[in-house]
Amino acid sequence: MTQRERPIEIINPPNMLKVKVGGRIAPADPAAIARAEAALAEMKEEFSGWLAEEVDKLEAALAKVEAEGLTSDAGDELFTVAHDLRGLGTTYDFPLVTRMAASLSRLVETGEKRELVPVQLVEAHVGAIRAALRQNIRTDDHAVGRTLAEELETRVIDLVGAPA
């Protein structure tokens, strides 16, 4: 029997994800979504305070960088705090803070990049984030906030390249 004459056998591997999950996922419960949104709305008044605590952590990490250098463990800590803040800004209703923290994260995300970075550019990011919070500039619809974010992003791109 030649290769062409053999019958074709189709093998269907088992769907292990389906086995582990247990079949179809139930549709979202609209009542549960409404309850979650209501709970989130109740907490909204606390968002600025929580975000201020995160910005305090960022400023503390910056102080360590200024004392120990950006290429020390303090640089890793600064990246971690900036990365966390990048995720929290929009959650806490400050997408402009997310944008600026993303720029800062890109700036200091690796040891190689930190070797190139002037601390003044890190300080400018941290100061801009604090100013956005203090002045209640939440989105880049605000002309000054948008201009500041764009300038910081331009400086980061000039120094370490555009995001991948």
Side-chain angles (χ1 to χ4, degrees), residues 89-106:
T90 300
T91 301
Y92 291 158
D93 205 22
F94 274 84
L96 184 63
V97 168
T98 290
R99 183 175 174 181
M100 291 177 186
S103 177
L104 177 57
S105 295
R106 247 188 339 273

Side-chain angles (χ1 to χ4, degrees), residues 55-72:
V55 175
D56 289 345
K57 289 179 190 175
L58 184 65
E59 288 175 330
L62 174 61
K64 278 187 174 180
V65 162
E66 290 170 334
E68 301 171 18
L70 197 51
T71 57
S72 70

Side-chain angles (χ1 to χ4, degrees), residues 24-80:
R24 300 192 88 203
I25 297 174
D29 177 11
I33 292 172
R35 286 191 305 273
E37 287 174 347
L40 193 59
E42 287 178 23
M43 294 187 308
K44 204 169 194 168
E45 293 177 11
E46 299 179 47
F47 286 177
S48 292
W50 294 341
L51 188 58
E53 290 174 11
E54 295 302 318
V55 175
D56 289 345
K57 289 179 190 175
L58 184 65
E59 288 175 330
L62 174 61
K64 278 187 174 180
V65 162
E66 290 170 334
E68 301 171 18
L70 197 51
T71 57
S72 70
D73 288 343
D76 290 333
E77 183 179 336
L78 178 78
F79 169 73
T80 300

